[in-house]
Amino acid sequence: MPEGKPAYVRCVQLTADNLCLLFGKPERPAVCGSLRASVEMCGASNEEAAERLTLIEVATRPAPVG
Ligand code: SF4
């Protein structure tokens, strides 16, 4: 994704069973390798992760210009 991955867009490197095709490869973005998932961030299920990550996305969204 040379233009970056917008919020709410599924990464093209993510498989149907939610594994990263670039895991362990040098071309994996540094930000992905540095992210440390936690229970606070992801909860205990896909549903909880989606809910919590949406809240984080909204809370950290840049303010509109103008
Ligand atoms: S770890 Fe990064 S490159 Fe891999 S699937 Fe997730 S967002 Fe995509």
Side-chain angles (χ1 to χ4, degrees):
M1 304 180 86
E3 303 300 320
K5 190 191 81 52
Y8 307 111
V9 173
R10 189 175 172 85
C11 180
V12 296
Q13 303 297 342
L14 200 56
T15 65
D17 51 353
N18 295 324
L19 298 177
C20 176
L21 290 171
L22 299 180
F23 190 84
K25 297 182 178 178
E27 58 267 38
R28 187 180 186 213
V31 67
C32 300
S34 66
L35 179 70
R36 295 289 172 255
S38 65
V39 172
E40 290 77 20
M41 181 190 300
C42 301
S45 66
N46 286 349
E47 293 74 22
E48 281 186 19
E51 185 177 303
R52 292 178 185 206
L53 292 170
T54 297
L55 290 174
I56 293 169
E57 175 63 27
V58 170
T60 60
R61 181 180 298 159
V65 177

